[in-house]
Amino acid sequence: MRQPPYGDPGTDATWAWRAPPRLVVTSQGDLYGRQAPLTGGDVLTIGRAGDNDLRLDDPYVSRHHALVRATGNMVLVEDNGSSGGVYVNGRRIDRPTSLQPGDVVRLGRLDLQLLSDEAAAAPGPPPAPAAVQHNVDSQQAGEIYNIGRDYNRNQYYRLEIAPMRRRARILVRLGTALALAGFGVYGYAVLQGVLNVFRVVGGPIDPETPPDFGDILEPVIRYTPIGLTLLFAGLVLIVIGLLMRRSATAKERRL
């Protein structure tokens, strides 16, 4: 009996592989066609790090993203503590999940399809499922909901727009802190210069010893460049952050 694409897989599988299965990358790009055979009893590790059995050098794939086991007639996939999660046929899994021929596993923005050995040489798009029931009011095994356009939109937002918004927020906060620090340093320099002037004007004046304007303006000369530099750097970061946030908003509106 086929297991649902979510939840604990059963152990009474009646289907059998005619040949050893393989996981094949079907997403377009440099990794297209990369594959790894699944030998019974072994655990296949998948991730971005070099010590994985199937290394996927993609920034949206975690260093150790997923584990795949071939046990008997079943192939099981599970999340290995990734940041982006593991999706089977469009649904995120949180426990070992059984795979069937043609099922698609998504890691980050990469799709990997489970194929029999004879089909793995020429990977193609996932076959259209037969007798799919769409139901948005309940969540039961065998039903697929919001896997097309909504799933792609959510993935794009999570992988592209959300990180951009996060970076924009960091830049704005950092720029604000630098700008405030620069304004504070500049204000301190000006204040010290004004106080020195008042000390000279308000104190006794010796005609034989003219005031040393170098000492009077020393705080201004020393701290003004530092304050203005911090202020300018902060304003630049704020502008970059605001532009990045505006770009993220424009991308989100196009979804």
mmCIF file of all heavy atoms in Angstrom, residues 86-134:
data_model
loop_
_atom_site.group_PDB
_atom_site.id
_atom_site.type_symbol
_atom_site.label_atom_id
_atom_site.label_comp_id
_atom_site.label_asym_id
_atom_site.label_seq_id
_atom_site.Cartn_x
_atom_site.Cartn_y
_atom_site.Cartn_z
ATOM 1 N N VAL A 86 12.723 20.182 4.441
ATOM 2 C CA VAL A 86 12.657 19.210 3.346
ATOM 3 C C VAL A 86 11.191 19.079 2.923
ATOM 4 O O VAL A 86 10.317 18.920 3.780
ATOM 5 C CB VAL A 86 13.212 17.835 3.781
ATOM 6 C CG1 VAL A 86 13.040 16.811 2.667
ATOM 7 C CG2 VAL A 86 14.679 17.954 4.167
ATOM 8 N N TYR A 87 10.941 19.124 1.624
ATOM 9 C CA TYR A 87 9.586 19.053 1.090
ATOM 10 C C TYR A 87 9.476 17.831 0.184
ATOM 11 O O TYR A 87 10.369 17.559 -0.618
ATOM 12 C CB TYR A 87 9.239 20.310 0.292
ATOM 13 C CG TYR A 87 9.150 21.559 1.129
ATOM 14 C CD1 TYR A 87 10.295 22.213 1.555
ATOM 15 C CD2 TYR A 87 7.915 22.079 1.506
ATOM 16 C CE1 TYR A 87 10.215 23.361 2.337
ATOM 17 C CE2 TYR A 87 7.823 23.224 2.273
ATOM 18 C CZ TYR A 87 8.976 23.861 2.693
ATOM 19 O OH TYR A 87 8.890 24.995 3.461
ATOM 20 N N VAL A 88 8.396 17.100 0.342
ATOM 21 C CA VAL A 88 8.101 15.955 -0.510
ATOM 22 C C VAL A 88 6.803 16.244 -1.250
ATOM 23 O O VAL A 88 5.756 16.413 -0.624
ATOM 24 C CB VAL A 88 7.981 14.648 0.298
ATOM 25 C CG1 VAL A 88 7.560 13.489 -0.604
ATOM 26 C CG2 VAL A 88 9.296 14.325 0.988
ATOM 27 N N ASN A 89 6.904 16.346 -2.580
ATOM 28 C CA ASN A 89 5.737 16.663 -3.407
ATOM 29 C C ASN A 89 5.025 17.923 -2.919
ATOM 30 O O ASN A 89 3.799 18.024 -2.921
ATOM 31 C CB ASN A 89 4.754 15.486 -3.438
ATOM 32 C CG ASN A 89 5.341 14.272 -4.137
ATOM 33 O OD1 ASN A 89 6.244 14.387 -4.964
ATOM 34 N ND2 ASN A 89 4.845 13.102 -3.795
ATOM 35 N N GLY A 90 5.822 18.905 -2.468
ATOM 36 C CA GLY A 90 5.258 20.197 -2.097
ATOM 37 C C GLY A 90 4.870 20.347 -0.657
ATOM 38 O O GLY A 90 4.449 21.424 -0.253
ATOM 39 N N ARG A 91 5.040 19.309 0.149
ATOM 40 C CA ARG A 91 4.647 19.409 1.550
ATOM 41 C C ARG A 91 5.864 19.214 2.429
ATOM 42 O O ARG A 91 6.652 18.285 2.249
ATOM 43 C CB ARG A 91 3.571 18.380 1.898
ATOM 44 C CG ARG A 91 2.268 18.566 1.145
ATOM 45 C CD ARG A 91 1.167 17.726 1.733
ATOM 46 N NE ARG A 91 0.890 18.096 3.108
ATOM 47 C CZ ARG A 91 0.044 17.446 3.905
ATOM 48 N NH1 ARG A 91 -0.582 16.383 3.461
ATOM 49 N NH2 ARG A 91 -0.170 17.840 5.128
ATOM 50 N N ARG A 92 6.016 20.094 3.408
ATOM 51 C CA ARG A 92 7.158 19.998 4.322
ATOM 52 C C ARG A 92 6.966 18.814 5.272
ATOM 53 O O ARG A 92 5.869 18.573 5.775
ATOM 54 C CB ARG A 92 7.311 21.292 5.117
ATOM 55 C CG ARG A 92 8.559 21.319 5.999
ATOM 56 C CD ARG A 92 8.877 22.708 6.477
ATOM 57 N NE ARG A 92 10.115 22.724 7.244
ATOM 58 C CZ ARG A 92 10.766 23.839 7.597
ATOM 59 N NH1 ARG A 92 10.274 25.016 7.227
ATOM 60 N NH2 ARG A 92 11.881 23.791 8.278
ATOM 61 N N ILE A 93 8.040 18.086 5.499
ATOM 62 C CA ILE A 93 7.976 16.915 6.374
ATOM 63 C C ILE A 93 8.704 17.216 7.674
ATOM 64 O O ILE A 93 9.617 18.043 7.714
ATOM 65 C CB ILE A 93 8.592 15.672 5.693
ATOM 66 C CG1 ILE A 93 10.081 15.892 5.421
ATOM 67 C CG2 ILE A 93 7.856 15.337 4.408
ATOM 68 C CD1 ILE A 93 10.797 14.654 4.916
ATOM 69 N N ASP A 94 8.293 16.545 8.739
ATOM 70 C CA ASP A 94 8.967 16.714 10.019
ATOM 71 C C ASP A 94 9.319 15.366 10.647
ATOM 72 O O ASP A 94 9.609 15.283 11.826
ATOM 73 C CB ASP A 94 8.093 17.526 10.987
ATOM 74 C CG ASP A 94 6.737 16.880 11.240
ATOM 75 O OD1 ASP A 94 6.502 15.751 10.749
ATOM 76 O OD2 ASP A 94 5.910 17.508 11.930
ATOM 77 N N ARG A 95 9.286 14.309 9.836
ATOM 78 C CA ARG A 95 9.622 12.963 10.308
ATOM 79 C C ARG A 95 9.981 12.115 9.084
ATOM 80 O O ARG A 95 9.744 12.531 7.953
ATOM 81 C CB ARG A 95 8.439 12.355 11.060
ATOM 82 C CG ARG A 95 7.204 12.123 10.184
ATOM 83 C CD ARG A 95 5.951 11.886 10.987
ATOM 84 N NE ARG A 95 5.490 13.126 11.578
ATOM 85 C CZ ARG A 95 4.422 13.227 12.344
ATOM 86 N NH1 ARG A 95 3.718 12.149 12.635
ATOM 87 N NH2 ARG A 95 4.056 14.393 12.840
ATOM 88 N N PRO A 96 10.568 10.943 9.289
ATOM 89 C CA PRO A 96 10.895 10.085 8.137
ATOM 90 C C PRO A 96 9.660 9.829 7.276
ATOM 91 O O PRO A 96 8.594 9.487 7.782
ATOM 92 C CB PRO A 96 11.426 8.802 8.782
ATOM 93 C CG PRO A 96 11.943 9.236 10.104
ATOM 94 C CD PRO A 96 11.034 10.338 10.568
ATOM 95 N N THR A 97 9.815 10.004 5.970
ATOM 96 C CA THR A 97 8.697 9.917 5.037
ATOM 97 C C THR A 97 9.077 9.019 3.872
ATOM 98 O O THR A 97 10.191 9.090 3.354
ATOM 99 C CB THR A 97 8.340 11.327 4.514
ATOM 100 O OG1 THR A 97 7.969 12.147 5.632
ATOM 101 C CG2 THR A 97 7.189 11.278 3.536
ATOM 102 N N SER A 98 8.149 8.153 3.472
ATOM 103 C CA SER A 98 8.423 7.208 2.392
ATOM 104 C C SER A 98 8.292 7.879 1.032
ATOM 105 O O SER A 98 7.485 8.780 0.840
ATOM 106 C CB SER A 98 7.468 6.014 2.484
ATOM 107 O OG SER A 98 6.135 6.449 2.305
ATOM 108 N N LEU A 99 9.103 7.415 0.085
ATOM 109 C CA LEU A 99 9.084 7.923 -1.274
ATOM 110 C C LEU A 99 8.682 6.830 -2.242
ATOM 111 O O LEU A 99 8.994 5.667 -2.031
ATOM 112 C CB LEU A 99 10.473 8.463 -1.670
ATOM 113 C CG LEU A 99 11.037 9.615 -0.839
ATOM 114 C CD1 LEU A 99 12.439 9.959 -1.311
ATOM 115 C CD2 LEU A 99 10.132 10.838 -0.916
ATOM 116 N N GLN A 100 8.011 7.245 -3.313
ATOM 117 C CA GLN A 100 7.611 6.354 -4.378
ATOM 118 C C GLN A 100 8.300 6.796 -5.677
ATOM 119 O O GLN A 100 8.798 7.924 -5.776
ATOM 120 C CB GLN A 100 6.089 6.395 -4.558
ATOM 121 C CG GLN A 100 5.305 5.895 -3.354
ATOM 122 C CD GLN A 100 5.367 4.385 -3.226
ATOM 123 O OE1 GLN A 100 5.291 3.677 -4.218
ATOM 124 N NE2 GLN A 100 5.526 3.904 -2.008
ATOM 125 N N PRO A 101 8.372 5.924 -6.674
ATOM 126 C CA PRO A 101 8.977 6.331 -7.946
ATOM 127 C C PRO A 101 8.313 7.591 -8.497
ATOM 128 O O PRO A 101 7.091 7.690 -8.552
ATOM 129 C CB PRO A 101 8.733 5.124 -8.860
ATOM 130 C CG PRO A 101 8.574 3.969 -7.934
ATOM 131 C CD PRO A 101 7.929 4.514 -6.702
ATOM 132 N N GLY A 102 9.110 8.570 -8.861
ATOM 133 C CA GLY A 102 8.604 9.816 -9.406
ATOM 134 C C GLY A 102 8.369 10.897 -8.385
ATOM 135 O O GLY A 102 8.132 12.052 -8.764
ATOM 136 N N ASP A 103 8.426 10.583 -7.071
ATOM 137 C CA ASP A 103 8.248 11.617 -6.054
ATOM 138 C C ASP A 103 9.377 12.637 -6.145
ATOM 139 O O ASP A 103 10.512 12.318 -6.499
ATOM 140 C CB ASP A 103 8.227 10.999 -4.659
ATOM 141 C CG ASP A 103 6.890 10.350 -4.339
ATOM 142 O OD1 ASP A 103 5.941 10.574 -5.110
ATOM 143 O OD2 ASP A 103 6.796 9.623 -3.336
ATOM 144 N N VAL A 104 9.057 13.882 -5.785
ATOM 145 C CA VAL A 104 10.010 14.979 -5.868
ATOM 146 C C VAL A 104 10.325 15.487 -4.469
ATOM 147 O O VAL A 104 9.420 15.806 -3.693
ATOM 148 C CB VAL A 104 9.462 16.138 -6.739
ATOM 149 C CG1 VAL A 104 10.438 17.316 -6.746
ATOM 150 C CG2 VAL A 104 9.208 15.650 -8.155
ATOM 151 N N VAL A 105 11.615 15.549 -4.163
ATOM 152 C CA VAL A 105 12.099 16.072 -2.885
ATOM 153 C C VAL A 105 12.728 17.427 -3.152
ATOM 154 O O VAL A 105 13.616 17.547 -4.000
ATOM 155 C CB VAL A 105 13.131 15.122 -2.253
ATOM 156 C CG1 VAL A 105 13.650 15.701 -0.943
ATOM 157 C CG2 VAL A 105 12.526 13.744 -2.024
ATOM 158 N N ARG A 106 12.271 18.445 -2.431
ATOM 159 C CA ARG A 106 12.832 19.783 -2.605
ATOM 160 C C ARG A 106 13.702 20.134 -1.409
ATOM 161 O O ARG A 106 13.264 20.052 -0.254
ATOM 162 C CB ARG A 106 11.732 20.820 -2.770
ATOM 163 C CG ARG A 106 12.241 22.259 -2.680
ATOM 164 C CD ARG A 106 11.335 23.252 -3.348
ATOM 165 N NE ARG A 106 11.405 23.162 -4.800
ATOM 166 C CZ ARG A 106 11.391 24.228 -5.609
ATOM 167 N NH1 ARG A 106 11.344 25.440 -5.108
ATOM 168 N NH2 ARG A 106 11.427 24.085 -6.911
ATOM 169 N N LEU A 107 14.961 20.529 -1.715
ATOM 170 C CA LEU A 107 15.907 21.005 -0.713
ATOM 171 C C LEU A 107 16.305 22.418 -1.108
ATOM 172 O O LEU A 107 16.979 22.618 -2.123
ATOM 173 C CB LEU A 107 17.145 20.110 -0.655
ATOM 174 C CG LEU A 107 16.902 18.596 -0.541
ATOM 175 C CD1 LEU A 107 18.225 17.852 -0.542
ATOM 176 C CD2 LEU A 107 16.100 18.272 0.707
ATOM 177 N N GLY A 108 15.895 23.409 -0.331
ATOM 178 C CA GLY A 108 16.165 24.795 -0.714
ATOM 179 C C GLY A 108 15.391 25.136 -1.970
ATOM 180 O O GLY A 108 14.171 25.115 -1.995
ATOM 181 N N ARG A 109 16.112 25.415 -3.065
ATOM 182 C CA ARG A 109 15.454 25.697 -4.336
ATOM 183 C C ARG A 109 15.752 24.611 -5.364
ATOM 184 O O ARG A 109 15.525 24.818 -6.561
ATOM 185 C CB ARG A 109 15.916 27.059 -4.871
ATOM 186 C CG ARG A 109 17.415 27.197 -5.048
ATOM 187 C CD ARG A 109 17.790 28.587 -5.511
ATOM 188 N NE ARG A 109 19.239 28.718 -5.665
ATOM 189 C CZ ARG A 109 19.847 29.847 -6.015
ATOM 190 N NH1 ARG A 109 19.128 30.932 -6.231
ATOM 191 N NH2 ARG A 109 21.160 29.898 -6.126
ATOM 192 N N LEU A 110 16.257 23.461 -4.917
ATOM 193 C CA LEU A 110 16.583 22.356 -5.812
ATOM 194 C C LEU A 110 15.554 21.241 -5.677
ATOM 195 O O LEU A 110 15.141 20.895 -4.571
ATOM 196 C CB LEU A 110 17.984 21.800 -5.502
ATOM 197 C CG LEU A 110 19.176 22.729 -5.746
ATOM 198 C CD1 LEU A 110 20.463 22.029 -5.363
ATOM 199 C CD2 LEU A 110 19.226 23.173 -7.199
ATOM 200 N N ASP A 111 15.160 20.662 -6.819
ATOM 201 C CA ASP A 111 14.270 19.509 -6.843
ATOM 202 C C ASP A 111 15.075 18.266 -7.181
ATOM 203 O O ASP A 111 15.869 18.256 -8.122
ATOM 204 C CB ASP A 111 13.172 19.698 -7.891
ATOM 205 C CG ASP A 111 12.138 20.731 -7.462
ATOM 206 O OD1 ASP A 111 11.952 20.890 -6.241
ATOM 207 O OD2 ASP A 111 11.531 21.372 -8.329
ATOM 208 N N LEU A 112 14.849 17.207 -6.404
ATOM 209 C CA LEU A 112 15.462 15.916 -6.664
ATOM 210 C C LEU A 112 14.345 14.896 -6.847
ATOM 211 O O LEU A 112 13.418 14.816 -6.024
ATOM 212 C CB LEU A 112 16.376 15.472 -5.517
ATOM 213 C CG LEU A 112 17.650 16.284 -5.289
ATOM 214 C CD1 LEU A 112 17.368 17.518 -4.437
ATOM 215 C CD2 LEU A 112 18.710 15.427 -4.597
ATOM 216 N N GLN A 113 14.410 14.116 -7.913
ATOM 217 C CA GLN A 113 13.361 13.153 -8.220
ATOM 218 C C GLN A 113 13.884 11.743 -7.993
ATOM 219 O O GLN A 113 15.030 11.423 -8.325
ATOM 220 C CB GLN A 113 12.884 13.320 -9.654
ATOM 221 C CG GLN A 113 11.615 12.519 -9.968
ATOM 222 C CD GLN A 113 11.092 12.847 -11.349
ATOM 223 O OE1 GLN A 113 11.801 13.377 -12.183
ATOM 224 N NE2 GLN A 113 9.822 12.531 -11.589
ATOM 225 N N LEU A 114 13.034 10.921 -7.410
ATOM 226 C CA LEU A 114 13.383 9.521 -7.187
ATOM 227 C C LEU A 114 13.005 8.721 -8.422
ATOM 228 O O LEU A 114 11.834 8.643 -8.795
ATOM 229 C CB LEU A 114 12.649 8.981 -5.959
ATOM 230 C CG LEU A 114 13.030 7.570 -5.533
ATOM 231 C CD1 LEU A 114 14.479 7.518 -5.064
ATOM 232 C CD2 LEU A 114 12.106 7.079 -4.419
ATOM 233 N N LEU A 115 14.007 8.127 -9.081
ATOM 234 C CA LEU A 115 13.805 7.398 -10.315
ATOM 235 C C LEU A 115 14.417 6.008 -10.204
ATOM 236 O O LEU A 115 15.363 5.785 -9.445
ATOM 237 C CB LEU A 115 14.441 8.134 -11.497
ATOM 238 C CG LEU A 115 13.951 9.563 -11.777
ATOM 239 C CD1 LEU A 115 14.793 10.199 -12.868
ATOM 240 C CD2 LEU A 115 12.489 9.554 -12.169
ATOM 241 N N SER A 116 13.873 5.085 -10.987
ATOM 242 C CA SER A 116 14.493 3.771 -11.083
ATOM 243 C C SER A 116 15.789 3.896 -11.869
ATOM 244 O O SER A 116 16.023 4.874 -12.578
ATOM 245 C CB SER A 116 13.545 2.795 -11.771
ATOM 246 O OG SER A 116 13.251 3.244 -13.081
ATOM 247 N N ASP A 117 16.648 2.912 -11.770
ATOM 248 C CA ASP A 117 17.989 3.001 -12.350
ATOM 249 C C ASP A 117 17.942 3.223 -13.853
ATOM 250 O O ASP A 117 18.732 3.982 -14.401
ATOM 251 C CB ASP A 117 18.779 1.733 -12.033
ATOM 252 C CG ASP A 117 20.269 1.935 -12.266
ATOM 253 O OD1 ASP A 117 20.780 2.976 -11.845
ATOM 254 O OD2 ASP A 117 20.895 1.065 -12.891
ATOM 255 N N GLU A 118 17.008 2.577 -14.559
ATOM 256 C CA GLU A 118 16.974 2.717 -15.998
ATOM 257 C C GLU A 118 16.469 4.082 -16.431
ATOM 258 O O GLU A 118 16.744 4.555 -17.521
ATOM 259 C CB GLU A 118 16.095 1.644 -16.645
ATOM 260 C CG GLU A 118 14.623 1.679 -16.203
ATOM 261 C CD GLU A 118 14.377 0.787 -15.005
ATOM 262 O OE1 GLU A 118 15.358 0.437 -14.338
ATOM 263 O OE2 GLU A 118 13.208 0.431 -14.755
ATOM 264 N N ALA A 119 15.706 4.775 -15.553
ATOM 265 C CA ALA A 119 15.186 6.093 -15.898
ATOM 266 C C ALA A 119 16.092 7.222 -15.447
ATOM 267 O O ALA A 119 15.942 8.352 -15.881
ATOM 268 C CB ALA A 119 13.801 6.297 -15.281
ATOM 269 N N ALA A 120 17.066 6.907 -14.588
ATOM 270 C CA ALA A 120 17.895 7.963 -14.007
ATOM 271 C C ALA A 120 18.849 8.576 -15.010
ATOM 272 O O ALA A 120 19.337 9.677 -14.824
ATOM 273 C CB ALA A 120 18.696 7.407 -12.834
ATOM 274 N N ALA A 121 19.133 7.882 -16.102
ATOM 275 C CA ALA A 121 20.088 8.412 -17.068
ATOM 276 C C ALA A 121 19.536 9.633 -17.796
ATOM 277 O O ALA A 121 20.282 10.447 -18.298
ATOM 278 C CB ALA A 121 20.456 7.338 -18.087
ATOM 279 N N ALA A 122 18.231 9.755 -17.874
ATOM 280 C CA ALA A 122 17.622 10.889 -18.574
ATOM 281 C C ALA A 122 16.526 11.481 -17.711
ATOM 282 O O ALA A 122 15.354 11.230 -17.918
ATOM 283 C CB ALA A 122 17.052 10.448 -19.915
ATOM 284 N N PRO A 123 16.902 12.246 -16.663
ATOM 285 C CA PRO A 123 15.897 12.780 -15.759
ATOM 286 C C PRO A 123 14.990 13.767 -16.461
ATOM 287 O O PRO A 123 15.416 14.537 -17.310
ATOM 288 C CB PRO A 123 16.745 13.492 -14.685
ATOM 289 C CG PRO A 123 18.024 13.805 -15.381
ATOM 290 C CD PRO A 123 18.252 12.687 -16.361
ATOM 291 N N GLY A 124 13.751 13.732 -16.116
ATOM 292 C CA GLY A 124 12.780 14.650 -16.697
ATOM 293 C C GLY A 124 11.930 15.244 -15.614
ATOM 294 O O GLY A 124 12.159 15.026 -14.432
ATOM 295 N N PRO A 125 10.934 16.021 -15.975
ATOM 296 C CA PRO A 125 10.072 16.611 -14.958
ATOM 297 C C PRO A 125 9.235 15.547 -14.279
ATOM 298 O O PRO A 125 9.035 14.456 -14.822
ATOM 299 C CB PRO A 125 9.199 17.579 -15.780
ATOM 300 C CG PRO A 125 9.213 17.013 -17.161
ATOM 301 C CD PRO A 125 10.563 16.387 -17.333
ATOM 302 N N PRO A 126 8.757 15.813 -13.077
ATOM 303 C CA PRO A 126 7.955 14.827 -12.364
ATOM 304 C C PRO A 126 6.723 14.450 -13.163
ATOM 305 O O PRO A 126 6.085 15.305 -13.794
ATOM 306 C CB PRO A 126 7.569 15.556 -11.072
ATOM 307 C CG PRO A 126 8.548 16.668 -10.946
ATOM 308 C CD PRO A 126 8.931 17.055 -12.331
ATOM 309 N N PRO A 127 6.366 13.168 -13.182
ATOM 310 C CA PRO A 127 5.156 12.762 -13.901
ATOM 311 C C PRO A 127 3.918 13.338 -13.247
ATOM 312 O O PRO A 127 3.880 13.534 -12.043
ATOM 313 C CB PRO A 127 5.189 11.227 -13.791
ATOM 314 C CG PRO A 127 6.004 10.946 -12.577
ATOM 315 C CD PRO A 127 7.031 12.027 -12.497
ATOM 316 N N ALA A 128 2.927 13.614 -14.068
ATOM 317 C CA ALA A 128 1.677 14.152 -13.531
ATOM 318 C C ALA A 128 0.985 13.095 -12.694
ATOM 319 O O ALA A 128 0.797 11.961 -13.124
ATOM 320 C CB ALA A 128 0.759 14.573 -14.682
ATOM 321 N N PRO A 129 0.625 13.412 -11.448
ATOM 322 C CA PRO A 129 -0.030 12.418 -10.603
ATOM 323 C C PRO A 129 -1.429 12.104 -11.106
ATOM 324 O O PRO A 129 -2.136 12.957 -11.635
ATOM 325 C CB PRO A 129 -0.067 13.098 -9.231
ATOM 326 C CG PRO A 129 -0.042 14.560 -9.536
ATOM 327 C CD PRO A 129 0.766 14.710 -10.789
ATOM 328 N N ALA A 130 -1.812 10.889 -10.915
ATOM 329 C CA ALA A 130 -3.150 10.450 -11.323
ATOM 330 C C ALA A 130 -4.094 10.526 -10.145
ATOM 331 O O ALA A 130 -3.729 10.198 -9.022
ATOM 332 C CB ALA A 130 -3.086 9.012 -11.850
ATOM 333 N N ALA A 131 -5.307 10.942 -10.431
ATOM 334 C CA ALA A 131 -6.377 10.971 -9.435
ATOM 335 C C ALA A 131 -5.955 11.752 -8.206
ATOM 336 O O ALA A 131 -5.892 11.250 -7.101
ATOM 337 C CB ALA A 131 -6.788 9.555 -9.040
ATOM 338 N N VAL A 132 -5.615 13.013 -8.407
ATOM 339 C CA VAL A 132 -5.268 13.877 -7.293
ATOM 340 C C VAL A 132 -6.512 14.601 -6.823
ATOM 341 O O VAL A 132 -7.260 15.161 -7.628
ATOM 342 C CB VAL A 132 -4.187 14.897 -7.709
ATOM 343 C CG1 VAL A 132 -3.917 15.861 -6.571
ATOM 344 C CG2 VAL A 132 -2.920 14.174 -8.106
ATOM 345 N N GLN A 133 -6.745 14.595 -5.542
ATOM 346 C CA GLN A 133 -7.907 15.267 -4.970
ATOM 347 C C GLN A 133 -7.457 16.584 -4.356
ATOM 348 O O GLN A 133 -6.512 16.629 -3.573
ATOM 349 C CB GLN A 133 -8.545 14.398 -3.883
ATOM 350 C CG GLN A 133 -9.762 15.067 -3.238
ATOM 351 C CD GLN A 133 -10.325 14.210 -2.146
ATOM 352 O OE1 GLN A 133 -9.832 13.136 -1.893
ATOM 353 N NE2 GLN A 133 -11.366 14.705 -1.502
ATOM 354 N N HIS A 134 -8.106 17.667 -4.712
ATOM 355 C CA HIS A 134 -7.793 18.972 -4.165
ATOM 356 C C HIS A 134 -8.864 19.330 -3.138
ATOM 357 O O HIS A 134 -10.047 19.340 -3.444
ATOM 358 C CB HIS A 134 -7.765 20.035 -5.273
ATOM 359 C CG HIS A 134 -6.679 19.791 -6.279
ATOM 360 N ND1 HIS A 134 -5.425 20.285 -6.128
ATOM 361 C CD2 HIS A 134 -6.686 19.078 -7.429
ATOM 362 C CE1 HIS A 134 -4.677 19.925 -7.150
ATOM 363 N NE2 HIS A 134 -5.426 19.187 -7.945
#
